[in-house]
Amino acid sequence: MALVRTERAASELVGEYEVLVVEDDSMRPLDLIEDELLLAIPIVPRHAPGACLPPETTVEDGGLAAPADGVPETETGARHPFAVLAALRRESDTLN
């Protein structure tokens, strides 16, 4: 990091330095550190590939149970996206 007093001096610096224009004689290092830490935080939280696996969907008798989110699979093995809504509707119809 290079500390300079004017924009002209900043434009003259070439290389791998990050330029910070200091307008007065004092600088608070805490502000600089805080800004750098905030810029280093990723926008979207991530984890390493393979670190997050879905829960097991098998039952003790060897058959397959419904997945943990309750969305059943179709005959082709694809999960129907609106199955949870249909199940909720059935539940509300039985309560009424």
Side-chain angles (χ1 to χ4, degrees):
M1 177 170 279
L3 303 174
V4 295
R5 291 197 181 269
T6 63
E7 291 287 332
R8 192 174 107 208
S11 64
E12 292 173 1
L13 282 177
V14 230
E16 67 265 357
Y17 292 112
E18 183 176 336
V19 180
L20 177 63
V21 179
V22 181
E23 296 173 356
D24 53 2
D25 290 337
S26 65
M27 183 187 82
R28 293 185 54 204
L30 180 61
D31 292 338
L32 177 66
I33 293 170
E34 181 181 14
D35 290 344
E36 291 299 318
L37 286 175
L38 288 173
L39 289 172
I41 295 173
I43 294 173
V44 178
R46 298 179 291 185
H47 59 271
C52 183
L53 300 174
E56 292 291 324
T57 58
T58 58
V59 287
E60 288 93 29
D61 63 356
L64 291 177
D69 59 1
V71 179
E73 294 182 356
T74 62
E75 291 99 23
T76 61
R79 296 173 64 181
H80 193 278
F82 298 109
V84 172
L85 295 175
L88 290 173
R89 185 173 180 194
R90 282 192 300 270
E91 286 179 15
S92 68
D93 289 343
T94 57
L95 293 175
N96 291 333

